[in-house]
Amino acid sequence: AQPAPGGLWGHFTRALKPAGAAAWAMAHDMREGRGRVRAASGSYGFVDSTGRAVIAPVWEDATDFSGGFARVRRGGLWGLIDAAGTLVLPPAHERIEPAGAGLLRLWRGGRMAYFEPGSGRLVLAEPGYPAGGAPAPAPAPASAAAPTGNRQP
C-alpha cells in the first residue's frame, strides 16, 4: 500500500502496477487476498487484489485477515468476519485476540471463552460467560468407556 499524489492511498500488484484507483484515506498491506482500507469517513473495509472494495467500509476499526478471518469493531465491541464479509461472531465482545492453536480468546462481560473460527464453536467458556452474541459451546466428547450398544458376546 502506498500513498498517491494528493494524499490518497491504494494498492499495487506484484508487478508494481496500481491495483485500482487510490481512493482511501489509508490502505494497509494485503493479507490473504484482502487489504484493509480506511475511508475518508474513518470507517474500515477491505479491497481485493484488484483494488475493488469487497467488504464495504462500515466498521469503526478492523484488523488484517489472519487464518481466513478479520476482527471488526462496531459500537465499541468486536466481532469476526470471514473473507466474504459474513459475520462469524457479532460485535458483542470487549476484546477478541489470538490464543494459539487456531483459537481466539473472547472477552465478554468480564468473562473469557475460547472460540474455534473454523468450526464456529466455543470450545471452552468460563462459568458465567454471557450466552447472547456467541455460539453455543461445543458438546463434550463422548467418553471412550461409554457403551456403544454394538458389543459382541
Side-chain angles (χ1 to χ4, degrees):
Q2 295 289 324
L8 295 177
W9 288 70
H11 289 90
F12 288 86
T13 67
R14 290 183 190 247
L16 299 179
K17 299 208 184 290
W24 305 102
M26 177 61 74
H28 297 267
D29 290 340
M30 287 281 170
R31 300 278 189 260
E32 300 184 8
R34 297 287 183 258
R36 181 170 42 120
V37 293
R38 187 183 63 192
S41 66
S43 297
Y44 286 84
F46 294 86
V47 296
D48 65 13
S49 61
T50 69
R52 183 177 61 95
V54 291
I55 299 172
V58 297
W59 304 103
E60 293 170 3
D61 199 357
T63 65
D64 292 326
F65 274 85
S66 177
F69 303 94
R71 292 170 278 159
V72 292
R73 189 178 73 195
R74 182 182 287 152
L77 297 173
W78 290 90
L80 193 71
I81 60 172
D82 64 16
T86 303
L87 272 174
V88 175
L89 280 176
H93 304 86
E94 289 95 23
R95 196 165 74 210
I96 299 176
E97 58 192 27
L103 299 176
L104 294 173
R105 188 177 299 116
L106 312 177
W107 293 91
R108 185 155 187 238
R111 303 291 182 171
M112 181 180 62
Y114 289 91
F115 179 71
E116 185 177 47
S119 70
R121 304 284 289 168
L122 286 178
V123 293
L124 181 65
E126 190 175 5
Y129 184 79
S143 168
T148 64
N150 293 328
R151 293 185 184 211
Q152 301 294 321

